[in-house]
Amino acid sequence: MKLNHYALLFSSLLTVTLTGNAQSNAQQEGVKVGEMSIMRKLAPTGALEGQAATQYAQTMRAAEQKNALGQANHPQVIRLRAIADKLIPHALKWNERAKQWKWEVNLIGSKQVNAYCMPGGKIAFYSGILDTLKLTDDEVAMVMGHEIAHALREHGAERAGKAVAANIGVKLVELWAGAKGYDPNLAGGLAGGAAKFGMLAFSREDETEADIVGLDIAARAGYDPRAGVALWQKMGIVSKGAPPQWLSTHPAGKTRIAEIQRHFPEVMPLYARAKGVSISALPPYQTNVKGIAPVVYSAK
């Protein structure tokens, strides 16, 4: 009975996941992505947002105690919040819950090359990512749009749900192995390894989706999507020695650049409209680091 129970539950989870991911949204312009994974339902979003708000507040208090929290009049804080104010209105359509979020944007003084947006719209940038990459406003918008997209698409809840499903799968294998007279620990270990690599792939898919949705949000807000190419060229310069793509939760830089370029036809018209010009009138995107060529796009 126990084996059949796990098998039925795992089969149901797999079926609804494939069905949910096969659906497409009804957007008429901009990027197209599938519906959010049904797996996020296994981890209550409201609970995650509450936990995120608590953790975020604790992080900000800790930074303040170390005199590392950017004050409201800090130039970079003003800059980050101004960019967020332009992005957020274009983010709301991606998730109805976002209209009720209490958005926050803060800067933490640290050498970390990092930024994030927690469930519920809690955004943090580390000064290291601004300073190390010498980010332009367009490039900040690419990073911020990407991080906001993670929250909008509820990737945290999705990953938690997939972890639950993976654990059920491992348990099924252990029960099956025991029933057949095999070593359940060995079988479970092999299944766990396979599940781990599967979770890496899921994470890479989430990162790609966040790149795409972030491009759409930033373009509508008047930020140049071509800055995404320059951003990942900069990131490649500072992240040499990163693990190969198949062992990483993030796609390789070249893969991300190719994916961003693939979606130019969808987002460049949005950017041109936001700027009030035709695509042909847009100058190439030129970043502020020597050695990175201007990024061009010509509509066909």
Coordinates of all heavy atoms in Angstrom, one line a residue, residues 25-32 36 87-99 103 152-153 213 216-217 220 270 273:
N25 N 1.1 31.5 -22.2 CA 0.3 32.7 -21.7 C -0.3 33.4 -22.9 O 0.0 33.1 -24.1 CB 1.1 33.6 -20.8 CG 2.3 34.3 -21.6 OD1 2.2 34.4 -22.8 ND2 3.3 34.6 -20.9
A26 N -1.1 34.4 -22.6 CA -1.9 35.0 -23.6 C -1.4 36.4 -24.0 O -2.1 37.2 -24.6 CB -3.4 35.2 -23.1
Q27 N -0.1 36.6 -23.7 CA 0.4 37.9 -24.1 C 0.4 38.1 -25.6 O 0.7 37.1 -26.4 CB 1.9 38.1 -23.6 CG 2.0 38.3 -22.1 CD 3.4 38.4 -21.7 OE1 4.1 37.5 -21.5 NE2 3.9 39.7 -21.7
Q28 N 0.1 39.3 -26.1 CA 0.0 39.5 -27.5 C 1.3 40.1 -28.1 O 1.5 40.2 -29.3 CB -1.1 40.4 -27.8 CG -2.5 39.8 -27.5 CD -2.8 38.5 -28.2 OE1 -2.6 38.4 -29.4 NE2 -3.2 37.5 -27.4
E29 N 2.2 40.6 -27.2 CA 3.4 41.2 -27.6 C 4.5 41.0 -26.6 O 4.1 40.6 -25.4 CB 3.3 42.7 -27.9 CG 2.9 43.5 -26.6 CD 2.7 45.0 -26.9 OE1 3.0 45.4 -28.0 OE2 2.4 45.7 -25.9
G30 N 5.7 41.2 -26.9 CA 6.8 40.9 -26.0 C 7.1 39.4 -25.9 O 6.8 38.7 -26.8
V31 N 7.9 39.0 -24.9 CA 8.3 37.6 -24.8 C 7.2 36.7 -24.5 O 6.2 37.1 -23.8 CB 9.5 37.5 -23.8 CG1 10.6 38.4 -24.2 CG2 9.0 37.7 -22.4
K32 N 7.3 35.5 -24.9 CA 6.3 34.4 -24.6 C 7.0 33.3 -23.7 O 8.0 32.8 -24.1 CB 5.8 33.8 -25.9 CG 5.3 34.8 -26.9 CD 4.1 35.6 -26.4 CE 3.4 36.4 -27.5 NZ 4.3 37.4 -28.1
M36 N 3.3 29.4 -15.2 CA 4.1 29.1 -14.0 C 3.9 27.6 -13.6 O 2.8 27.1 -13.7 CB 3.8 30.0 -12.8 CG 4.3 31.4 -13.1 SD 4.2 32.4 -11.6 CE 2.5 32.8 -11.5
L87 N 10.7 50.1 -13.4 CA 10.5 48.7 -13.8 C 9.2 48.1 -13.2 O 8.5 47.4 -13.9 CB 11.7 47.8 -13.3 CG 13.1 48.1 -13.9 CD1 14.1 47.1 -13.3 CD2 13.0 47.9 -15.4
I88 N 9.0 48.4 -11.9 CA 7.9 47.7 -11.2 C 6.5 47.8 -11.9 O 5.8 46.8 -12.0 CB 7.8 48.2 -9.7 CG1 9.1 47.7 -9.0 CG2 6.6 47.7 -9.0 CD1 9.3 48.3 -7.6
P89 N 6.1 49.0 -12.4 CA 4.8 49.1 -13.0 C 4.7 48.1 -14.2 O 3.5 47.6 -14.5 CB 4.7 50.5 -13.5 CG 5.6 51.3 -12.6 CD 6.7 50.3 -12.3
H90 N 5.8 47.8 -14.9 CA 5.7 46.8 -16.0 C 5.9 45.4 -15.6 O 5.8 44.5 -16.4 CB 6.8 47.2 -17.0 CG 6.6 48.6 -17.6 ND1 5.7 48.9 -18.5 CD2 7.3 49.8 -17.3 CE1 5.8 50.2 -18.8 NE2 6.7 50.7 -18.1
A91 N 6.1 45.2 -14.3 CA 6.3 43.8 -13.7 C 5.0 43.3 -13.2 O 4.8 42.0 -13.2 CB 7.3 43.9 -12.6
L92 N 4.1 44.1 -12.9 CA 2.9 43.7 -12.2 C 2.0 42.7 -13.0 O 1.3 41.8 -12.4 CB 2.0 44.9 -11.8 CG 2.8 45.9 -10.9 CD1 1.8 47.0 -10.5 CD2 3.4 45.2 -9.6
K93 N 2.0 42.9 -14.3 CA 1.2 42.0 -15.2 C 1.6 40.5 -15.1 O 0.8 39.6 -15.5 CB 1.1 42.5 -16.6 CG 2.4 42.3 -17.3 CD 2.3 42.6 -18.8 CE 3.6 42.3 -19.5 NZ 3.4 42.4 -21.0
W94 N 2.8 40.3 -14.7 CA 3.3 38.9 -14.7 C 2.9 38.1 -13.5 O 3.0 36.9 -13.4 CB 4.9 38.9 -14.7 CG 5.4 39.4 -16.0 CD1 5.8 40.7 -16.4 CD2 5.6 38.6 -17.2 NE1 6.2 40.7 -17.7 CE2 6.1 39.4 -18.2 CE3 5.4 37.2 -17.5 CZ2 6.4 38.9 -19.5 CZ3 5.7 36.7 -18.7 CH2 6.2 37.6 -19.7
N95 N 2.3 38.8 -12.5 CA 1.9 38.1 -11.3 C 0.9 39.0 -10.5 O 1.2 40.1 -10.1 CB 3.1 37.8 -10.4 CG 2.7 36.8 -9.2 OD1 1.6 36.9 -8.6 ND2 3.6 35.9 -8.9
E96 N -0.4 38.6 -10.4 CA -1.4 39.4 -9.8 C -1.0 39.7 -8.3 O -1.4 40.8 -7.8 CB -2.7 38.6 -9.8 CG -3.4 38.7 -11.2 CD -3.8 40.1 -11.6 OE1 -4.3 40.8 -10.7 OE2 -3.6 40.4 -12.8
R97 N -0.3 38.8 -7.7 CA 0.0 39.0 -6.3 C 1.0 40.2 -6.1 O 1.0 40.9 -5.1 CB 0.7 37.8 -5.7 CG -0.2 36.6 -5.6 CD 0.6 35.4 -5.1 NE 1.1 35.6 -3.8 CZ 0.5 35.4 -2.7 NH1 -0.8 35.0 -2.8 NH2 1.0 35.6 -1.5
A98 N 1.7 40.5 -7.2 CA 2.7 41.6 -7.1 C 2.1 43.0 -6.8 O 2.8 43.9 -6.3 CB 3.6 41.6 -8.4
K99 N 0.8 43.1 -7.1 CA 0.2 44.4 -6.9 C 0.0 44.7 -5.4 O -0.1 45.9 -5.0 CB -1.2 44.4 -7.6 CG -1.1 44.3 -9.1 CD -2.5 44.2 -9.7 CE -2.5 44.0 -11.2 NZ -3.8 43.9 -11.8
W103 N 7.1 46.5 -1.9 CA 8.4 46.5 -2.6 C 9.4 47.2 -1.8 O 9.1 48.3 -1.2 CB 8.3 47.1 -4.0 CG 7.4 46.3 -4.9 CD1 6.1 46.3 -5.1 CD2 7.9 45.3 -5.9 NE1 5.7 45.4 -6.1 CE2 6.8 44.8 -6.6 CE3 9.2 44.9 -6.2 CZ2 6.9 43.9 -7.6 CZ3 9.3 43.9 -7.3 CH2 8.2 43.4 -7.9
L152 N 8.5 37.2 -9.5 CA 7.2 37.2 -10.2 C 6.8 35.8 -10.6 O 5.7 35.4 -10.5 CB 7.3 38.1 -11.4 CG 7.5 39.6 -11.1 CD1 7.8 40.3 -12.4 CD2 6.3 40.2 -10.5
R153 N 7.8 35.0 -11.1 CA 7.5 33.7 -11.6 C 7.5 32.6 -10.5 O 7.4 31.4 -10.8 CB 8.5 33.3 -12.7 CG 8.5 34.3 -13.9 CD 7.2 34.2 -14.7 NE 7.1 32.9 -15.4 CZ 6.0 32.6 -16.1 NH1 4.9 33.4 -16.1 NH2 5.9 31.4 -16.7
V213 N 12.1 37.2 -19.2 CA 11.0 38.0 -18.6 C 11.6 39.4 -18.1 O 11.0 40.4 -18.3 CB 10.4 37.3 -17.4 CG1 9.4 38.3 -16.7 CG2 9.6 36.1 -17.9
D216 N 11.9 41.7 -21.0 CA 10.6 42.3 -21.4 C 10.3 43.5 -20.5 O 9.9 44.6 -20.9 CB 9.6 41.2 -21.3 CG 8.2 41.7 -21.8 OD1 7.6 42.5 -21.0 OD2 7.8 41.3 -22.9
I217 N 10.5 43.3 -19.2 CA 10.1 44.3 -18.2 C 11.0 45.6 -18.4 O 10.5 46.7 -18.5 CB 10.3 43.8 -16.8 CG1 9.3 42.7 -16.5 CG2 10.2 44.9 -15.7 CD1 9.6 41.9 -15.2
R220 N 10.2 47.6 -21.7 CA 9.0 48.4 -21.6 C 9.2 49.6 -20.7 O 8.6 50.7 -20.9 CB 7.9 47.6 -21.0 CG 7.4 46.4 -21.9 CD 6.3 45.6 -21.1 NE 6.0 44.4 -21.9 CZ 5.1 44.3 -22.8 NH1 4.4 45.3 -23.2 NH2 4.9 43.1 -23.5
L270 N 9.6 47.0 -28.2 CA 9.1 47.6 -26.9 C 10.0 48.7 -26.4 O 9.5 49.7 -26.0 CB 9.0 46.5 -25.8 CG 8.2 45.2 -26.1 CD1 8.3 44.2 -25.0 CD2 6.7 45.6 -26.3
R273 N 9.6 51.8 -28.7 CA 8.3 52.4 -28.4 C 8.5 53.3 -27.1 O 8.0 54.4 -27.1 CB 7.2 51.4 -28.3 CG 5.8 52.1 -28.0 CD 4.8 51.0 -27.6 NE 4.8 49.9 -28.6 CZ 4.2 48.8 -28.3 NH1 3.6 48.6 -27.2 NH2 4.2 47.8 -29.2

